[in-house]
Amino acid sequence: MPQVCIDARGLTQVFDDGHRRNVVLDHVDLRLDFGEMVAVVGPSGSGKSTLLNILGLLSPPSEGTCILDGVDVTAMDPGDRARTRLEKIGFVFQSFHLIDHKTALANVELPLKYLGLGKQECKDAAHRMLDELGMGHRSDARPSVLSGGEKQRVAIARALVSRPKVLLCDEPTGSLDSRRSTEVLEILREQTGCHQTTVIVTHDPWVAEQCDRVLTLADGRLVETRATDVVMVDGRGTEAGVGTGIEAGVDGDEAATGAATETISVSGPNATSTSPTRTPVPARELNGRKREKWFRTSLVEAADAVSCRLRRNILTTLGVVLGVATLILTSGLSTTIAGQISDAFDVFRAQRVVLTQTNRDALTADQAVELAAGPGFAALDRLNGVTAKAVVRPVTSGVETVTTVPEQRQQFDGRVQGPLLSATPGIFEAQRQRIEEGRGFDEGHMARRDRVAVIGRALLNSLGVTWTPGLTLYVGTVPITVMGVASENPSLSDKHGAVYLPLGVGLEGHDGGPTSVVLATTPGAASQVGREAPTALMPDKPGAFAASVPPEPESLRRVVDQQQRYLLLGVSGVTLLLGAIGIMNTFLVAVLERRKEVGVRLALGARPLGIVTQFSAEAVLTSAMGTGLGIALALDALATISLVNHWQPVLRMDTVLCGAIAGLAVGLLAGSYPAWRAGRTDPVETLMHA
């Protein structure tokens, strides 16, 4: 008795589009034995492809059962159907359906990769299969340079490399001329051994004549019309007999040379057939090993697809590149700039305490001089952390016009204004200013109330004059001799261009403003000095002066940096969003463009979850390229900006890590929907219209 390969009972397929019920297959019974080469014929729309899809486990029947190699495959879940299809079924399509970016060898290797064979095992088995079909010399060629016959041979090699139990061929000669058709039929005959059943769907009567049995589908019913024994002579088929059970001959050349054959029953207890024994290959054993490694294979295939579309993927990653670069550069620049600002404030503002009068009645010039000469002011030197001190009093209540010649007009073109201050000689040390030209005034000038001054560099520049000994400037019509020029402290913008007179010097008609005491401190001592200084200055009236203490450098950095950081982070977030949209759009288009490839992979036995994994991995790998480029761009930009501005670049590694995670997350999220769409691809619909 022949061994049964497929035993189907009552197969029914009904399609209901909501308007009418279309019965494509109507309780079809079918038995296929190992060693048979069976043709399925019938008019277009009779259900031939539907039957093929059911036998190939691409779609389940509406009713009925199907036993494949002794196992009921009817009620299998999608994962088990994919695994069974991978291990026991091979497909040969009319349109070949080779994956364009893969070589002939890589196309043939694909089923073995999904089965979990090692890299070298896959190559060896694929090479042997191509050699067996006369395509070994074209193993490195891509489908675009192969002829139709060569493509079909590669497609057959891919279907046979895993040594399936069932080989399903859908119009395998429909795109070929008569000579190539003969070659393909010879190959299929040679490859159909005692462990395989070959089913060919065809419209070509000549192809049907080359098969052991012919099954005709009409009106949803399957009828066996004849069985033929064909002897191949010069590529033409000659019918040797018709009936329900006859002997099938072998290729004439093989008979003449005494090629090894084995006899099997093909269509009944009285029918036998001979076919050549295939050379066994290690791939034959993999059906029993069940080493399927779909996850690893999906990742490898994703890397291969990304590398083959490198130029296109680089353009796709542009949004991720800009987003990640902006994100990292934002944080790096914010930290770097804040560092520069905090350094400047560390020099002065974070080490400066100002004691200001709280009384409404300001001290007069004489009272300010008495304060500077009193024991309280001297006691400030004994406070821990105080490095310099000075008393300063505005000579006028606002800014004054300073000119190089006497000027009584209130308004004129080019007038220069600045604050007019009187102070003790220590004011420049207390305010972290340097005497750049000339010298400062001393206690003698203060005692004599000399009208000499030290001016800020900004005022001298605004006047457009050069300092020389004896330089005289005028406040209104009052002459003042300039003794020296002081540098400007960037943090004292309200005192830029000031005119400093000895404490006690006043101007007629001006009462002046409230007196202040400026203290310079060591780093970290400002808070403590601010608490102790008012009492030390005036023990009997500790509330007469209030201390103004600067914020700590870290607090200052946060205040200065916060708005800038939020703004730039918002920009980088928008850029990353645009990058995500770009990746999603690109991969949605890619899913549509690669529907044929996805359908082929599913038909070969790839799991839907494996397709989802592959496309998700492609999106992540694509975004990983963009992330790497974005990090490099951010580092280069930060280094360049810092170099130009003579800054010390500051970039924390956790910032780079966050940028990398953000870039990869964008790829994963953006690729999840296209990957889900790819996993839901219907291989039947896809391959039918490809």
Side-chain angles (χ1 to χ4, degrees):
M1 287 289 293
Q3 186 177 358
V4 178
C5 177
I6 293 178
D7 188 7
R9 291 286 182 263
L11 292 183
T12 300
Q13 189 63 281
V14 179
F15 296 106
D16 191 347
D17 60 4
H19 299 287
R20 64 189 183 90
R21 191 169 180 268
N22 183 22
V23 180
V24 180
L25 298 179
D26 187 8
H27 294 86
V28 170
D29 295 333
L30 174 66
R31 168 176 164 164
L32 300 175
D33 296 335
F34 282 109
E36 286 188 306
M37 185 165 160
V38 179
V40 178
V41 300
S44 296
S46 61
K48 301 186 299 299
S49 295
T50 300
L51 177 62
L52 208 66
N53 293 330
I54 292 175
L55 298 180
L57 305 186
L58 290 177
S59 58
S62 302
E63 298 178 21
T65 60
C66 183
I67 308 297
L68 172 61
D69 195 23
V71 178
D72 188 348
V73 297
T74 310
M76 282 184 172
D77 60 42
D80 288 336
R81 293 169 71 86
R83 183 170 56 252
T84 303
R85 191 163 58 245
L86 177 63
E87 294 177 351
K88 296 186 177 183
I89 298 172
F91 283 93
V92 178
F93 305 101
Q94 174 182 354
S95 300
F96 322 126
H97 293 323
L98 301 178
I99 298 177
D100 295 332
H101 68 266
K102 290 182 175 292
T103 63
L105 182 67
N107 270 280
V108 176
E109 286 181 320
L110 192 55
L112 303 181
K113 288 182 178 180
Y114 282 124
L115 279 165
L117 267 69
K119 183 177 180 180
Q120 194 57 47
E121 286 181 285
C122 290
K123 286 187 178 297
D124 292 344
H127 271 300
R128 282 193 293 268
M129 196 72 248
L130 286 171
D131 288 340
E132 193 171 337
L133 297 185
M135 285 294 293
H137 65 294
R138 301 287 276 163
S139 60
D140 293 329
R142 296 186 186 276
S144 59
V145 298
L146 296 177
S147 67
E150 289 175 329
K151 290 179 182 179
Q152 194 62 290
R153 285 173 179 261
V154 174
I156 294 172
R158 181 181 62 190
L160 293 173
V161 71
S162 59
R163 299 307 188 195
K165 302 289 186 180
V166 181
L167 181 64
L168 302 176
C169 306
D170 188 2
E171 297 284 0
T173 62
S175 301
L176 306 178
D177 57 28
S178 59
R179 185 172 68 86
R180 298 300 183 190
S181 297
T182 301
E183 291 177 355
V184 167
L185 264 295
E186 288 177 349
I187 290 170
L188 295 178
R189 169 61 70 185
E190 292 169 359
Q191 295 295 326
T192 304
C194 61
H195 298 287
Q196 177 184 302
T197 295
T198 300
V199 179
I200 302 175
V201 167
T202 182
H203 286 96
D204 190 341
W206 177 83
V207 173
E209 290 176 359
Q210 315 309 308
C211 299
D212 302 318
R213 287 198 289 158
V214 178
L215 306 177
T216 300
L217 262 175
D219 298 326
R221 298 285 184 171
L222 184 65
V223 179
E224 182 168 348
T225 54
R226 61 179 176 171
T228 62
D229 177 45
V230 180
V231 179
M232 302 302 297
V233 180
D234 297 330
R236 298 179 61 186
T238 303
E239 186 176 315
V242 178
T244 58
I246 59 174
E247 283 194 347
V250 297
D251 184 277
D253 292 338
E254 290 187 359
T257 56
T261 63
E262 57 185 18
T263 302
I264 62 171
S265 174
V266 297
S267 58
N270 300 319
T272 60
S273 174
T274 58
S275 61
T277 303
R278 280 187 280 178
T279 304
V281 294
R284 160 66 74 188
E285 303 171 2
L286 55 85
N287 284 333
R289 287 197 249 168
K290 299 186 184 299
R291 298 195 308 166
E292 183 187 6
K293 298 180 181 179
W294 61 268
F295 183 77
R296 183 190 68 180
T297 302
S298 297
L299 297 182
V300 173
E301 289 298 299
D304 180 58
V306 169
S307 64
C308 290
R309 297 174 173 84
L310 191 58
R311 285 185 295 180
R312 178 175 180 177
N313 286 331
I314 287 178
L315 293 176
T316 302
T317 63
L318 185 58
V320 178
V321 171
L322 296 178
V324 172
T326 306
L327 182 66
I328 295 175
L329 186 59
T330 294
S331 181
L333 277 179
S334 299
T335 307
T336 299
I337 294 173
Q340 312 311 311
I341 294 174
S342 66
D343 287 346
F345 276 90
D346 282 343
V347 172
F348 175 68
R349 286 292 295 273
Q351 301 175 32
R352 175 175 174 261
V353 175
V354 178
L355 304 180
T356 306
Q357 275 187 264
T358 58
N359 295 333
R360 291 185 178 181
D361 297 330
L363 297 179
T364 64
D366 291 337
Q367 290 173 332
V369 172
E370 290 177 6
L371 178 67
F377 185 67
L380 295 175
D381 284 330
R382 295 190 291 273
L383 295 180
N384 186 31
V386 175
T387 60
K389 67 183 189 303
V391 176
V392 60
R393 177 180 179 272
V395 177
T396 62
S397 58
V399 294
E400 294 297 321
T401 300
V402 181
T403 61
T404 57
V405 295
E407 179 62 64
Q408 294 182 342
R409 290 178 297 170
Q410 296 298 316
Q411 300 288 337
F412 57 90
D413 293 338
R415 70 179 184 145
V416 177
Q417 294 183 303
L420 195 64
L421 307 172
S422 63
T424 55
I427 186 63
F428 304 108
E429 183 180 1
Q431 292 188 162
R432 297 287 196 265
Q433 291 175 275
R434 303 186 315 277
I435 302 299
E436 297 181 335
E437 296 183 80
R439 66 186 182 91
F441 48 79
D442 54 28
E443 297 289 343
H445 295 102
M446 193 173 72
R448 295 188 298 270
R449 309 289 175 93
D450 293 337
R451 291 198 175 186
V452 294
V454 174
I455 63 174
R457 172 65 66 182
L459 179 63
L460 190 67
N461 293 340
S462 298
L463 290 170
V465 297
T466 303
W467 179 83
T468 57
L471 174 66
T472 299
L473 298 178
Y474 295 85
V475 178
T477 58
V478 178
I480 296 175
T481 301
V482 179
M483 298 181 61
V485 180
S487 64
E488 304 288 7
N489 190 314
S491 61
L492 294 177
S493 60
D494 60 330
K495 291 182 173 59
H496 282 193
V499 177
Y500 294 93
L501 304 170
L503 186 64
V505 176
L507 288 181
E508 186 177 350
H510 293 277
D511 295 331
T515 300
S516 300
V517 177
V518 180
L519 302 175
T521 68
T522 56
S527 297
Q528 183 67 25
V529 170
R531 288 191 294 270
E532 298 174 352
T535 302
L537 179 64
M538 301 193 72
D540 54 337
K541 296 181 180 179
F545 282 83
S548 175
V549 181
E552 293 298 322
E554 186 63 31
S555 301
L556 183 63
R557 179 185 292 111
R558 286 197 296 267
V559 171
V560 174
D561 186 47
Q562 188 175 38
Q563 290 186 346
Q564 173 183 269
R565 182 185 295 271
Y566 287 160
L567 175 62
L568 294 178
L569 285 177
V571 172
S572 62
V574 171
T575 309
L576 279 174
L577 178 62
L578 293 176
I581 293 173
I583 288 179
M584 180 178 293
N585 181 65
T586 299
F587 276 90
L588 278 173
V589 173
V591 169
L592 295 176
E593 290 178 348
R594 297 164 62 187
R595 282 175 61 85
K596 183 185 78 171
E597 175 189 334
V598 174
V600 169
R601 291 179 182 274
L602 291 171
L604 292 177
R607 293 168 175 255
L609 186 56
I611 298 298
V612 173
T613 301
Q614 176 180 334
F615 275 81
S616 298
E618 286 185 31
V620 172
L621 288 173
T622 300
S623 65
M625 290 193 302
T627 299
L629 292 173
I631 292 174
L633 179 61
L635 295 178
D636 287 344
L638 180 61
T640 301
I641 294 172
S642 300
L643 180 64
V644 170
N645 291 278
H646 305 287
W647 293 343
Q648 178 66 38
V650 180
L651 183 64
R652 297 173 54 179
M653 288 307 299
D654 57 354
T655 299
V656 178
L657 181 61
C658 287
I661 293 174
L664 296 177
V666 163
L668 182 60
L669 293 175
S672 58
Y673 177 67
W676 176 78
R677 285 282 302 271
R680 290 175 60 86
T681 299
D682 182 355
V684 174
E685 184 71 18
T686 299
L687 298 177
M688 183 182 299
H689 295 94

